[in-house]
């Protein structure tokens, strides 16, 4: 059917697109700012000149002006003020691990958590006033994220002290340590650390450090965006409270309200629900378990778990819709909605993403009023321009991209298609008894109304005249609403597939059914939890019951879908609820962008429904391609590659054979005494492999059972489904035992390698040198059981020593494996390895040390570095160069440092 609708004008949307392209170009092609300014002026004048003569050329030049303005703005905003640079360099000079005395004020409060059975810890942010060291003092203003430790004499009280406090009344003056419902006071640390408190702290500072691998999370940038220059640690007994208050009274009020709401939530809801309520309503993740985060990520509903633009949008929609139901003027409703949204963003205080969402909401509602709802895309463009002009770097954040793309999909593709399909029928349900209204609707809608009246006539004898038409109308409204929800949710999943794969390496195939249940329940949860619960315990009971029911529904949905591997929903051994994907190829990225653009154009032009649905089918096809078709790995054919991945103080080595087989030797990990939830296998090793386009491993090996070598292996096995596991231990115990059990459940072949084993694999030759075949493994010294082997291609050999020490190296020297051009230095450069005898035996030309920056062991030792230098070995270190790759072509070895690209 041909439609006569003309495509709407949306200049602000295209201006936002041009501005975004300018921002992207500006960070990649630096030019002097004066060049951009001159170009902007020229384009503006040219656009003005041609606008009345050749309108198409004038519009094109105006878009060029927006493009140039974006490039200019990103480069100007990207240069930090000189004062901040100066202060930053001063604090970095003192952040070398030495004990310094800080005079500071608390900027962000925290909640204590159990660090071990004998201690608790709390993380807070402070802003320094002065720093003193060795009798000298300097005025320094900088942000420090401080971790405070306290030892507890009675281990049984650790968990109780690490729980959130309760409140009987909203006493804004003392939110911590107050009395809860029927419980004794529950303090956090021995010293209350509330906003604005001035402190003198004896602390050790160190700069934040990214894992220096391609595709790694920019932790330094994240802290910088939140005003943090360095990290620090202190004991609670080394903190002294100073007189006076330093800070903003408004911010003090905000922190008190935030803390009292958290306390009230934990008073009204049971602990299992309170931690989720904290996260969903306030963005407070202190009490969430890591397993809960994983389930929400797998189900595609992680956006509900954290306070984000979506939560703010749901709250704003509920407020605006309610006000409009009471016939409040649209302008008053919009102003009220914006005011409440900004107040909510202020109270939760979770940072730039929610503020950007509030700004986009305000801009959108303002544009909606100005354009009288005629052009949603123009309103979205205005909102995006407002956000990007205020914060140009927001374009490169996942939160802005996901928020903007989600709104674009709904407004630019979903809504126009629904307007052509279901909306006429939904409107046709009005005044169903009035046959004269049939003349004002399309013929097919008039036929639809006639059919409903015929059905009503048949029902009249059973349910009476009053309900005979009402019931079919209600059922049709429900059916249309459910159909629209399914369509929009599926469209969102397809449209967001690229960003989910690019940023999170996930294909959330369960996102559509999960969101169908979660989003409606969240709309119930947010208003019910935000009101009466804080005012009165008695009045809050109905709201608590409703929100608790909704929360159980959300948690049940997420648990079922996020753990779908337990209900047989698998494809080739992989849970369809948790498909992990590698970095999309450039072809995939371009195809996804093209599919989104075609779908928008087809939906906006509205010439034929067939074109719109064909473009949507293409969008779904690209999403399936991203989810199920493997990317092409970024490897060099015909050579053997050995890459040491930067995992801090640990080992993880990617070995790619000449035939393209991918092997991972160790997977990093954190020692148990650190009591950290951070998973190096998931966050660092897997991220690097996905960034390389690798989504499958052929083999993994654990050289010996130490946490810094095997801690990340469970995540690697789950994500990359290797076929084989190599070990050096005959009878696994301790941390190794559950990994072996996981491998056996996954159908992997588990084999123990010993001295003398030789075999070809993927075009390379492997020769095992340790542990000894007659050696009893599983001793109290796991380093003596370490797997040591060579990998050879043609005339080039690499020797991988793991954490081998003198006994293992003596075996290698006695074995005399021949020359090895490349040496992976033993035990992170410890003094009990890399002997002079070994170096004189294998004659390496290159060596690499996998070691953590500022590690407590003093690795690599000076004597080891001196021995390598005296032997003429060019040595690389992961704490300095980050990930380092070596390519063995059979004749020579070529090093490649990723940071240099």
């Amino acid at each position: 059917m041909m439609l006569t609708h003309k495509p709407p004008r949306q200049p602000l949307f295209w201006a936002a697109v041009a501005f975004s392209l300018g921002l992207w170009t500006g960070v990649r092609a630096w030019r002097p700012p004066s060049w951009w300014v001159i170009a902007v002026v020229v384009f503006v004048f040219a656009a003005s000149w041609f606008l009345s003569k050749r309108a198409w050329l004038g519009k094109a030049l105006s878009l060029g002006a927006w493009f140039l303005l974006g490039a200019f703005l990103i480069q100007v905003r990207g240069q930090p003020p000189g004062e901040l640079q100066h202060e930053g360099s001063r604090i970095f000079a003192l952040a070398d691990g030495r004990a310094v005395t800080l005079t500071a004020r608390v900027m962000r409060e925290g909640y204590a958590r159990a660090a071990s059975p004998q201690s608790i810890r709390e993380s807070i942010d402070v802003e320094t006033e002065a720093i003193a060291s060795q009798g000298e003092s300097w005025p320094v203003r900088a942000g420090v994220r401080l971790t405070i430790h306290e030892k507890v004499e009675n281990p049984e009280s650790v968990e109780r002290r690490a729980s959130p406090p309760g409140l009987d009344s909203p006493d804004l003056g003392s939110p911590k340590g107050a009395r809860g419902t029927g419980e004794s006071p529950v303090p956090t640390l021995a010293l209350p650390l509330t906003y604005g408190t001035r402190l003198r702290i004896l602390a050790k500072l160190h700069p934040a450090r990214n894992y220096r691998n391609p595709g790694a999370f920019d932790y330094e940038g994240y802290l910088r965006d939140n005003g943090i220059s360095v990290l620090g640690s202190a004991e609670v007994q080394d903190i002294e409270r100073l007189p006076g208050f330093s800070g903003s009274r408004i911010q003090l009020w905000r922190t008190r309200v935030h803390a009292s709401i958290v306390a009230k939530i934990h008073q009204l809801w049971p602990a299992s629900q309170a931690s989720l309520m904290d996260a969903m309503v306030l963005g407070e993740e202190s009490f969430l378990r890591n397993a809960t985060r994983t389930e929400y990520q797998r189900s595609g509903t992680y956006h509900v778990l954290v306070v984000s633009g979506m939560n703010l949008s749901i709250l704003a929609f509920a407020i605006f819709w309610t006000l409009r139901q009471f016939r409040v003027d649209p302008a008053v409703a919009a102003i009220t909605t914006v005011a409440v949204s900004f107040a909510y963003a202020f109270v939760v205080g979770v940072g730039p993403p929610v503020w950007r969402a509030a700004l986009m909401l305000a801009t959108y509602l303002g544009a909606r009023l100005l354009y009288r709802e005629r052009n949603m895309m123009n309103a979205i463009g205005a909102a995006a321009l407002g956000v990007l002009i205020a914060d140009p770097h927001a374009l490169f954040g996942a939160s802005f991209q996901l928020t903007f793309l989600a709104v674009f999909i709904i407004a630019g593709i979903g809504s126009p298609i629904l307007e052509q399909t279901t909306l006429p029928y939904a409107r046709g349900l009005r005044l169903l008894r009035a046959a004269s209204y049939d003349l004002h609707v399309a013929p097919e809608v008039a036929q639809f109304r006639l059919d409903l009246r015929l059905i009503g006539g048949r029902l009249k004898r059973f349910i009476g005249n009053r309900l005979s038409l009402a019931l079919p109308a209600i059922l049709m409204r429900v059916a249309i609403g459910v159909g629209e929800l399914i369509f929009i949710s599926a469209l969102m999943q397809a449209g967001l597939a690229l960003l989910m794969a690019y940023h999170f390496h996930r294909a959330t195939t369960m996102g559509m059914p999960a969101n169908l249940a979660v989003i409606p329940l969240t709309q119930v949860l947010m208003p019910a939890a935000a009101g009466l619960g804080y005012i009165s315990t008695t009045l809050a009971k109905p709201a608590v019951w409703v929100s608790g029911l909704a929360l159980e529904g959300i948690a049940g949905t997420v648990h079922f879908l996020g753990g779908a591997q337990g209900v047989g929903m698998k494809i080739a051994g992989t849970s369809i609820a948790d498909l992990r994907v590698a970095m999309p190829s450039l072809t995939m990225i371009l195809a996804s962008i093209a599919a989104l653009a075609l779908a928008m154009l087809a939906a906006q032009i509205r010439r034929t429904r067939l074109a719109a649905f064909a473009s949507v089918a293409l969008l779904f096809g690209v999403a399936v391609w991203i989810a199920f078709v493997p990317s092409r790995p970024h490897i060099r054919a015909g050579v053997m590659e050995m890459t040491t991945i930067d995992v801090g103080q640990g080992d993880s080595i990617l070995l790619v054979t000449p035939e393209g087989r991918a092997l991972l030797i160790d997977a990093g990990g954190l020692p148990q005494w650190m009591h950290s939830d951070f998973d190096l296998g998931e966050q660092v090793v897997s991220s690097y492999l996905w960034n390389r386009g690798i989504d499958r491993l052929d083999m993994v090996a654990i050289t010996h059972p130490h946490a810094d070598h095997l801690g990340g292996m469970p995540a690697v096995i789950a994500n990359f489904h290797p076929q084989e596991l190599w070990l050096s231990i005959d009878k696994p115990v301790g941390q190794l035992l559950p990994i072996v059990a996981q491998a056996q459940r996954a159908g992997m072949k588990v084999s123990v390698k010993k001295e003398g084993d030789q075999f070809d694999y993927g075009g390379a030759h492997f020769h095992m040198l340790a542990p000894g075949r007659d050696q009893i493994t599983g001793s109290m010294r796991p380093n003596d059981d370490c797997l040591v082997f060579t990998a050879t291609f043609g005339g080039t050999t690499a020797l991988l020593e793991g954490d081998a020490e003198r006994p293992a190296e003596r075996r290698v020297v006695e074995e005399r494996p021949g020359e090895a051009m490349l040496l992976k230095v033993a035990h992170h450069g410890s003094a009990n390895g890399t002997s002079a005898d070994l170096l004189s035996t294998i004659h390496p030309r290159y060596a690499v040390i996998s070691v953590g920056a500022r590690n407590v062991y003093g690795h690599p030792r000076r004597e080891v570095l001196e021995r390598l230098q005296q032997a003429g070995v060019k040595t690389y270190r992961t704490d300095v160069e980050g990930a380092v790759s070596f390519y063995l072509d059979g004749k020579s070895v070529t090093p490649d440092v990723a940071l240099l690209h």
Side-chain angles (χ1 to χ4, degrees), residues 177-399:
R179 186 177 296 273
T181 54
E183 297 180 0
S184 58
V186 184
T188 52
L189 294 174
L191 179 67
L193 302 172
T194 57
Y195 173 83
T197 304
R198 298 182 66 247
L199 303 170
R200 182 177 290 117
I201 310 164
L202 182 64
K204 294 181 179 180
L205 305 180
H206 59 272
R209 182 183 182 275
N210 291 337
Y211 288 96
R212 301 183 179 186
N213 305 309
F217 172 63
D218 185 9
Y219 183 53
E220 297 174 22
Y222 165 77
L223 292 176
R224 188 167 55 249
D225 290 342
N226 286 273
I228 303 300
S229 300
V230 296
L231 305 176
S233 61
E235 301 291 335
V236 69
Q237 63 267 22
D238 294 328
I239 301 177
E240 175 188 357
R241 183 167 183 166
L242 300 177
F245 170 83
S246 178
S248 165
R249 292 291 174 179
I250 296 177
Q251 184 70 4
L252 175 65
W253 179 84
R254 188 204 71 78
T255 58
R256 294 296 176 269
V257 171
H258 184 94
S260 61
I261 293 175
V262 171
K264 183 60 67 176
I265 287 174
H266 284 263
Q267 181 184 13
L268 293 172
W269 282 272
S272 60
Q273 294 183 354
S275 61
L276 290 173
M277 191 75 72
D278 288 338
M280 291 180 179
V281 180
L282 289 177
E284 182 58 63
E285 299 185 43
S286 299
F287 312 108
L288 278 180
R289 296 182 301 113
N290 195 47
T292 302
R293 290 189 179 91
T294 301
E295 282 188 350
Y296 276 79
Q297 288 171 347
R298 285 175 173 170
S299 66
T301 55
Y302 190 64
H303 50 77
V304 178
L305 187 63
V306 295
V307 171
S308 62
M310 179 187 167
N311 299 64
L312 189 78
S313 300
I314 290 173
L315 182 63
F317 172 81
I319 295 170
F320 188 81
W321 181 86
T322 302
L323 293 175
R324 291 296 293 139
Q325 296 308 302
F326 286 97
R327 310 255 180 214
V328 176
D329 182 80
V332 175
I335 293 172
T336 304
T337 301
V338 170
V340 173
S341 300
F342 271 87
Y344 176 70
F346 175 72
V347 170
V348 298
V350 294
V354 172
W355 282 112
R356 284 198 293 265
L359 180 59
M360 285 189 72
L361 173 69
T363 310
Y364 171 74
L365 287 177
R368 183 178 181 273
L369 290 174
L370 292 175
Y371 286 91
R372 300 180 183 178
E373 304 186 54
R374 288 183 300 176
N375 195 337
M376 292 180 67
M377 294 300 294
N378 219 36
I380 293 170
L385 278 176
V387 171
L388 294 177
I389 290 174
D391 181 14
H393 291 280
L395 176 69
F396 307 101
S399 62

Side-chain angles (χ1 to χ4, degrees), residues 717-798:
I717 292 176
N719 291 334
F720 296 93
H721 315 288
Q723 300 173 358
E724 190 172 353
L725 170 64
W726 296 353
L727 300 174
S728 64
I729 305 296
D730 295 294
K731 296 181 179 179
V733 294
Q735 290 179 278
L736 190 58
L737 191 60
I739 297 177
V740 173
Q742 178 190 8
Q744 291 172 339
R745 288 195 303 269
M748 296 171 57
K749 178 184 177 182
V750 180
S751 57
V752 178
K753 304 298 182 184
K754 292 291 186 71
E755 176 190 14
D757 291 340
Q758 296 191 52
F759 52 90
D760 292 327
Y761 189 90
H765 181 76
F766 291 84
H767 182 190
M768 302 297 155
L769 302 173
R773 187 161 296 278
D774 56 348
Q775 181 177 335
I776 300 176
T777 55
S779 65
M780 296 299 292
R781 291 179 54 83
N783 287 349
D784 290 342
D785 301 332
C786 188
L787 190 65
V788 179
F789 64 92
T790 60
T792 302
F793 173 54
T796 52
T797 298

Side-chain angles (χ1 to χ4, degrees), residues 846-861:
Y846 299 97
V848 60
I849 306 175
S850 183
V851 63
R854 302 178 302 276
N855 64 85
V856 298
Y857 310 102
H859 296 160
R861 303 300 296 225

Side-chain angles (χ1 to χ4, degrees), residues 47 73 101 104 151-152 164 176 212 214 237 247 258 336 406 445 497 514 591 593 631 795:
L73 199 59
T101 301
K151 294 183 179 179
V152 180
K176 295 190 175 186
R212 301 183 179 186
Q237 63 267 22
H258 184 94
T336 304
V445 178
I593 295 174
S631 298

Side-chain angles (χ1 to χ4, degrees), residues 482-548:
V482 171
E484 290 177 344
L485 185 60
I486 292 174
F487 173 73
I488 291 295
S489 182
L491 189 65
M492 290 272 288
Q493 287 299 120
L496 294 176
L498 174 64
L499 289 184
M500 292 299 296
Y502 185 89
H503 290 292
F504 308 111
H505 303 294
R506 292 185 182 273
T508 52
T509 54
M510 291 293 102
M512 187 186 75
N515 282 302
L516 287 177
V518 168
I519 291 177
L521 290 174
T522 308
Q523 290 177 341
V524 175
L525 169 66
M526 293 287 286
L532 294 175
Y534 187 67
I535 298 172
S536 167
T537 303
T538 303
L539 294 176
K541 288 182 179 179
V544 169
W545 182 82
V546 171
S547 59

